[in-house]
Amino acid sequence: MAKETVLALRGISKRFGAVQALTDVDLEVLSGEVIALVGDNGAGKSTLVKTIAGVHPIDEGGIEWEGRPVTINRPHDAQDLGIATVYQDLALCDNLDVVANLFLGNEARHASILDEITMEKRAMELLETLSIRIPSVRIPVASLSGGQRQVVAIARALIGDPKVVILDEPTAALGVEQTAQVLDLVERLRERGLAVILISHNMADVQAVADRVAVLRLGRNNGVFDVATTSHEEVIAAITGASDNAVTRRQARTDKEAAL
C-alpha cells in the first residue's frame, strides 16, 4: 500500500526577536513511516517540533494536513487534527497510577462519576495491543522504570487516536534494555500505520528504526536521506556541515585497511 503524505511543512520560517530560528524549512511526513529529525544543538529541531505542536505559531510558510492547508496556532489545533507530542519531560504524574495518567484530562464518566472500570479495561487493551509490559495498570507511575515511564507516556498520546506522533528524544538517559523497549514500541506505531517524527541525537537509534532522516542545520534544511541507502558518515557530514571530521576520517581509514 502506497504511503500518503499526512503532514507537510512548506517554507516554514520562525523568528524570536532578532534571532531567526527557522528559515524556509520544508518537511513531509508520510503515514506508516518513521522520519528522524536530527541536527546539532541550536539547529532548530525543538522550534520546528513546537510549530507543528502549536506551541509556536509560524511566521511564514504553510502547513498542509492530508493535502489541505491548515492553521496551527495553539496546541488544541494540533490535537484536533490528530497530532500528538511526547516531550522529553513526559509530563507524567508520579503519584497517580498508570490508568489515571493515561486518561488524565480525558477521563471516562458515567453520570458525572468517573468510570474506573471502563478506563482500566481500555488501558489494559491499549497496552496489550502495543505489547507494553508493566506489572499492573494500578501501580503508581513513580514505581516504573525509565523505559516503562516512556512507553506509558507514548501510550497516553495514543488515547486520542492520532495520525502523527512526535517523540522528543525518547531514549535519552535510558539504558540498553529500556532503549530497546522504546524502539520496539516505535516500530509497532509504524506497523499500525501511524506517522512518527523521531527527534534524536543517537544515530544508532535513528538507523535502527527510521525510514528517512531529515537534517536541520542552522535553522535550514540540509538534506533528507533514505536510511537504507545512506551511510552514517553522510548524515554526520550533513549535521556538522563538514565532509572532513573524526567520523569520516575513521571510516576512510577502515575502508583503506579493508582494501589492503
Side-chain angles (χ1 to χ4, degrees), residues 4-255:
E4 299 180 352
T5 300
V6 181
L7 174 70
L9 308 183
R10 311 290 189 193
I12 299 299
S13 295
K14 181 64 183 178
R15 175 185 291 274
F16 297 99
V19 178
Q20 187 73 35
L22 298 172
T23 304
D24 200 26
V25 173
D26 293 330
L27 182 70
E28 286 199 2
V29 183
L30 309 181
S31 60
E33 176 193 59
V34 178
I35 181 167
L37 185 62
V38 302
D40 212 342
N41 291 333
K45 302 187 301 297
S46 294
T47 301
L48 186 62
V49 164
K50 288 178 179 178
T51 62
I52 299 172
V55 177
H56 297 318
I58 61 175
D59 294 332
E60 297 175 17
I63 301 175
E64 296 176 6
W65 181 261
E66 298 180 331
R68 60 185 176 85
V70 295
T71 301
I72 302 178
N73 287 325
R74 56 196 183 117
H76 276 301
D77 295 337
Q79 293 166 12
D80 290 344
L81 287 172
I83 300 171
T85 306
V86 181
Y87 295 103
Q88 257 183 290
D89 63 9
L90 303 185
L92 296 173
C93 297
D94 286 346
N95 61 313
L96 300 180
D97 63 25
V98 173
V99 174
N101 270 280
L102 288 177
F103 289 92
L104 193 62
N106 293 292
E107 293 85 357
R109 297 179 182 275
H110 181 70
S112 76
I113 299 174
L114 288 180
D115 190 343
E116 295 284 356
I117 295 176
T118 296
M119 289 190 291
E120 181 172 324
K121 183 180 178 181
R122 286 185 59 195
M124 293 174 68
E125 289 173 349
L126 176 61
L127 298 181
E128 184 178 352
T129 299
L130 297 173
S131 299
I132 295 175
R133 290 182 289 276
I134 57 176
S136 168
V137 294
R138 285 303 182 184
I139 62 172
V141 164
S143 64
L144 299 178
S145 69
Q148 290 170 332
R149 290 166 59 87
Q150 183 72 57
V151 295
V152 167
I154 295 173
R156 182 181 61 186
L158 301 181
I159 290 294
D161 292 325
K163 293 185 177 181
V164 175
V165 179
I166 303 172
L167 304 177
D168 185 11
E169 297 283 358
T171 61
L174 295 183
V176 175
E177 184 177 349
Q178 295 174 340
T179 295
Q181 183 181 15
V182 173
L183 295 182
D184 283 345
L185 178 54
V186 172
E187 290 190 329
R188 286 193 287 275
L189 297 182
R190 173 173 52 202
E191 289 167 2
R192 290 178 58 154
L194 298 179
V196 180
I197 303 174
L198 174 69
I199 296 88
S200 181
H201 281 96
N202 190 317
M203 291 307 300
D205 292 353
V206 168
Q207 291 184 308
V209 297
D211 299 293
R212 293 185 298 140
V213 181
V215 179
L216 287 182
R217 175 166 168 76
L218 303 177
R220 297 176 181 269
N221 288 118
N222 205 32
V224 178
F225 304 91
D226 188 328
V227 171
T229 58
T230 305
S231 70
H232 176 74
E233 293 70 35
E234 288 177 278
V235 177
I236 294 296
I239 291 172
T240 61
S243 59
D244 182 40
N245 54 56
V247 175
T248 56
R249 289 194 295 272
R250 182 172 65 246
Q251 184 62 38
R253 288 195 300 270
T254 302
D255 292 342

